[in-house]
Amino acid sequence: MESYLPALAGGLMIGLAVTLLLLLNGRIAGVSGLVAGVLRRPAGPWPVNAAFVAGLLAGAPLFLLAAGHWPAVRIEASSGLLVAAGLLVGYGTRLGSGCTSGHGVAGLARLSPRSLAAVLTFLAAGVATVALQHLVAP
Amino acid sequence: MTGGAGARTGALAAARLLAALAAGALFGFGLSLSGMVDPTRVRGFLDVTGDWDPTLAFVLAGAVGAALPGYRLVLRRRRPLLAERFDLPTSRRIDGRLIGGSALFGVGWGLAGFCPGPAVTALSFAGMPALLFVLAMLAGMMLHDRTALGRLGTSRESASRGEATGRPGRT
């Protein structure tokens, strides 16, 4: 149970951050949309999108200050697989209008049927992908 | 008087920047603490037919558990604290774009164990692999947003954007 406490606490912080962005700025904290907003440079919201992304980049260094170590990160995928996966994640989240944060946290918090459909779809696709990988290369 | 209004607008814009920075930092800290930035842990969570690691279910439970009541309270307000209005998605359509895009995203998420938030957060400490993933992700986004490959079906989307914004139907 102990190992689940940081997960739960981290989750609560994420939910709080998502709520704060709505309360203060009236915006949905969907990372794929905000990152794409930085890329597209629309005149109005660009600085605010960039500020959110800059905050995200500061998250792990702040964790280092608080915890005294970097978060664990283990990346097993090869470079080729990382590129293929990155392309799929980038294209897919734009086509599907959201990712784990926009649909998964904000959308579910709004009880949006559209977001629930998206979450069930990307969870199912993720589960199937990992299962298939184990079948092909156990 | 216009000068005062201008100064107020400028102060509000600066406050919105700070708010976005703070929300992003809290979000990134939460991702770091929760284990969600660790692709192996994420893939362990998706590995329900194998050696399932349920940890990330607690991240989702915590995040939605905080945001659900949080959103309910916030959306009782007429407007946000620092902006004119709430900027909420208006489309309610469950269509091929939503399902197809989410499926593609899920495959990529399963392959690498990264989704956009954790990948950007990992940029500060995870080195080349994280950078490679994020660059490919940005390319994928641009492929959608800036080429004909992404314009398939956008006319429908822009048509649905005509719906009234403001307070959502369900709060």
Side-chain angles (χ1 to χ4, degrees):
Chain A
M1 191 66 214
E2 257 176 47
S3 67
Y4 299 144
L5 279 179
L8 190 63
L12 287 169
M13 286 181 186
I14 293 167
L16 184 62
V18 166
T19 304
L20 278 176
L21 197 69
L22 189 74
L23 171 66
L24 296 168
N25 290 5
R27 295 284 305 274
I28 299 283
V31 176
S32 55
L34 292 166
V35 169
V38 174
L39 277 184
R40 272 183 307 175
R41 295 181 157 268
W46 190 86
V48 185
N49 292 341
F52 183 89
V53 173
L56 210 51
L57 283 167
L62 287 172
F63 177 83
L64 172 68
L65 284 179
H69 59 87
W70 290 107
V73 63
R74 293 161 291 170
I75 304 172
E76 296 157 16
S78 65
S79 297
L81 205 54
L82 283 171
V83 169
L87 284 169
L88 285 168
V89 168
Y91 189 85
T93 51
R94 295 304 295 150
L95 185 65
S97 313
C99 61
T100 342
S101 49
H103 283 312
V105 182
L108 292 188
R110 289 177 69 213
L111 303 176
S112 153
R114 195 172 132 81
S115 288
L116 180 62
V119 171
L120 292 176
T121 304
F122 64 64
L123 273 176
V127 164
T129 301
V130 172
L132 270 175
Q133 271 183 307
H134 285 336
L135 273 182
V136 175
Chain B
M1 182 160 162
T2 43
R8 186 177 148 71
T9 308
L12 269 181
R16 281 198 295 273
L17 275 184
L18 276 179
L21 187 71
L26 185 61
F27 199 113
F29 190 98
L31 285 172
S32 301
L33 175 64
S34 67
M36 190 94 192
V37 286
D38 182 2
T40 295
R41 180 140 253 180
V42 172
R43 283 167 44 80
F45 171 67
L46 294 173
D47 193 11
V48 289
T49 59
D51 189 14
W52 188 50
D53 174 358
T55 311
L56 295 191
F58 288 82
V59 186
L60 188 68
V64 177
L68 194 105
Y71 265 33
R72 291 208 157 206
L73 284 174
V74 170
L75 290 174
R76 277 188 200 157
R77 301 178 50 87
R78 205 177 297 257
R79 45 177 283 191
L81 290 173
L82 303 174
E84 290 296 317
R85 64 183 72 83
F86 290 111
D87 186 6
L88 299 167
T90 52
S91 174
R92 307 182 68 86
R93 193 176 287 126
I94 297 175
D95 56 10
R97 286 174 58 86
L98 180 83
I99 301 301
S102 298
L104 291 178
F105 161 48
V107 172
W109 189 36
L111 284 177
F114 268 139
C115 55
V120 171
T121 303
L123 273 182
S124 62
F125 67 101
M128 273 307 288
L131 182 63
L132 204 57
F133 178 89
V134 170
L135 287 177
M137 181 180 87
L138 297 180
M141 288 177 165
M142 287 168 76
L143 207 62
H144 176 274
D145 292 352
R146 291 193 183 173
T147 70
L149 215 58
R151 280 193 281 275
L152 306 164
T154 31
S155 54
R156 274 178 295 159
E157 190 195 36
S158 47
S160 70
R161 277 216 187 109
E163 295 169 38
T165 46
R167 304 193 70 190
R170 41 193 327 160
T171 48

